[in-house]
Amino acid sequence: MSAHVRHPVEEPMTVIDAVRSDLDSVRADVDSVIDDFLAEQARLAPDPCLPPMVEVLTGFIAGGKRLRPLFCHSGFLAAGGAPGDPALLRTAASLELFHTFALVHDDVMDRSALRRGRPTVHRLLAERFGTERFGTDRSRAARGARRFGVSAAILLGDLCHSWSDELLRRAEAAAGPQPVVRELLHTMRTELIAGQYLDLVGTGRPSVDPVRAAWRVARLKTARYTVELPLRIGAALAGGDAALARACGAYGRPVGEAFQLRDDLLGMFGDPLVTGKPALDDLRDGKPTVLLALAWQQATPGQRDVIEALHGDPELDHERAELLRDVVRSTGAVERAEQLISVRVDRALSALRTAAMDQAAKPLLAELVARATRRRR
């Protein structure tokens, strides 16, 4: 691994501890805003059906990485903003509620059972509120509960989307109208949905150029959405100029791409007890990841036969999944993905060193490179 990749770890421990403490404080402040907001929504709910839904939502939100709020905070500091600004915290919390909307709906579309090591929202709603609604016939009741859970989760995701807007409105009440922030948020939301659609279109469907197609999904669905746009939203909120926006892009794009490559590797090889996600879901669905596209590109005809037979097989079991993993390893795709991550980390840190931004943001952004690209979940 290059010296640039190790850079954040080689600083004196007191500096690293201070940076990590700062990021943990930001996370705690954002969580406090979200908790207070959700408690308020439960208290002022127009109908008693909503507080139990808020309870489910509060439990689901706990445990997230909060990368988007942390990048938003760092962008705000990069433009000279002060930590703890109420408009910043509400905007960062708004991003996390929008992310929650995206996760809830993504889990419905993927029929996922677990997220962050706990049942997904549609599963939890089915178990908590749907099991006694559909008679005593077990098979019929199970089908009815699943249908109820999916429908209720869609509504709860929609509620997160609406509440994300409400938090943004409150941020604007504190800081005044922010048309650039609104424009960036609109771009972020539109790109995410476009990426999600392309993910659906490409799942289980071969592409003429699988690497290009997979990168197209990754950049829209994850890379810009996770890093560059939250960073630029924070910078815009503090009045950052066009030069800072370009610097955010030069840093944020490679970090976001490296984040997605790490996600691909964890989805294929990660320990479910650590990642909190099922080991087989993406493999059974045939998700068009960059990692699988690299494996296909570098595979022999025989290896392609194995990938084609197993990737996207809804009946894939653990034994055959391990066979698929062995083939992916043997193509050299894992080493190639790690190289691509290292290149992007170097590029991001190089851009950060030369970026014209407030120096207070740089140690945080260096640490966030490590959090985004070395993570185990």
Side-chain angles (χ1 to χ4, degrees):
M1 198 175 285
S2 73
H4 292 321
V5 177
R6 295 192 299 269
H7 172 75
V9 179
E10 292 174 346
E11 295 292 337
M13 284 302 297
T14 53
V15 174
I16 292 178
D17 288 344
V19 169
R20 291 174 178 169
S21 177
D22 286 347
L23 291 174
D24 288 345
S25 294
V26 173
R27 174 178 175 151
D29 289 343
V30 171
D31 283 352
S32 179
V33 171
I34 293 173
D35 289 345
D36 289 348
F37 178 81
L38 293 179
E40 176 190 340
Q41 299 311 306
R43 188 173 66 254
L44 302 177
D47 189 273
C49 73
L50 286 181
M53 297 280 277
V54 172
E55 181 184 350
V56 169
L57 182 61
T58 302
F60 177 74
I61 290 175
K65 291 182 282 292
R66 304 293 186 266
L67 283 178
R68 290 151 197 86
L70 292 175
F71 280 114
C72 181
H73 166 83
S74 299
F76 191 79
L77 293 191
D85 183 275
L88 166 65
L89 292 175
R90 289 167 184 161
T91 302
S94 170
L95 292 179
E96 190 64 26
L97 274 186
F98 178 76
H99 183 53
T100 303
F101 144 78
L103 293 182
V104 171
H105 281 199
D106 185 63
D107 287 340
V108 167
M109 286 184 275
D110 290 346
R111 303 181 301 279
S112 297
L114 293 175
R115 170 78 67 174
R116 297 168 179 166
R118 301 188 297 271
T120 48
V121 166
H122 63 278
R123 287 292 186 100
L124 189 59
L125 290 169
E127 293 168 6
R128 185 172 297 188
F129 302 114
T131 53
E132 298 179 358
R133 294 171 179 267
F134 301 98
T136 57
D137 181 278
R138 290 188 177 181
S139 178
R140 180 181 177 186
R143 288 195 304 272
R146 284 195 296 270
R147 202 161 52 242
F148 172 86
V150 165
S151 300
I154 291 171
L155 293 174
L156 191 53
D158 291 344
L159 200 55
C160 285
H161 195 300
S162 175
W163 284 346
S164 172
D165 269 349
E166 171 59 18
L167 273 171
L168 191 64
R169 186 195 66 77
R170 295 184 184 189
E172 290 174 332
Q178 299 288 334
V180 178
V181 171
R182 282 280 181 181
E183 181 181 342
L184 289 168
L185 186 62
H186 172 73
T187 298
M188 186 187 81
R189 290 173 171 179
T190 303
E191 287 187 0
L192 170 67
I193 291 170
Q196 188 78 315
Y197 175 74
L198 289 174
D199 191 36
L200 287 172
V201 169
T203 295
R205 178 183 176 184
S207 170
V208 174
D209 188 346
V211 174
R212 182 180 179 184
W215 271 122
R216 185 181 175 198
V217 173
R219 287 173 177 136
L220 286 172
K221 184 181 176 182
T222 305
R224 274 169 55 85
Y225 164 70
T226 301
V227 184
E228 180 185 354
L229 288 169
L231 189 62
R232 289 179 60 189
I233 286 169
L237 185 65
D241 59 14
L244 180 56
R246 289 192 294 273
C248 289
Y251 162 91
R253 279 190 293 275
V255 176
E257 290 176 5
F259 174 90
Q260 181 56 56
L261 286 166
R262 180 61 62 203
D263 208 55
D264 290 354
L265 289 164
L266 290 173
M268 173 67 72
F269 301 107
D271 181 351
L273 295 177
V274 178
T275 65
K277 301 177 184 178
L280 300 180
D281 280 6
D282 286 354
L283 302 183
R284 286 172 173 168
D285 286 344
K287 289 288 183 181
T289 66
V290 174
L291 177 65
L292 259 297
L294 292 171
W296 180 266
Q297 185 182 60
Q298 299 169 197
T300 65
Q303 290 171 329
R304 286 189 174 187
D305 288 341
V306 175
I307 294 171
E308 194 168 33
L310 299 182
H311 189 232
D313 178 0
E315 304 300 325
L316 187 71
D317 57 20
H318 286 281
E319 182 177 351
R320 291 189 301 144
E322 195 54 42
L323 174 60
L324 176 59
R325 293 185 186 103
D326 287 342
V327 167
V328 171
R329 289 188 192 98
S330 65
T331 65
V334 173
E335 289 81 0
R336 180 59 179 149
E338 291 288 1
Q339 290 170 359
L340 291 173
I341 290 172
S342 292
V343 166
R344 281 157 175 76
V345 167
D346 285 351
R347 191 180 301 161
L349 291 173
S350 177
L352 182 61
R353 282 194 299 273
T354 60
M357 64 173 63
D358 193 294
Q359 292 298 310
K362 291 192 174 185
L364 302 182
L365 288 169
E367 171 62 19
L368 285 172
V369 172
R371 291 197 182 190
T373 63
R374 296 182 189 170
R375 61 200 172 89
R376 298 178 60 210
R377 66 182 183 91

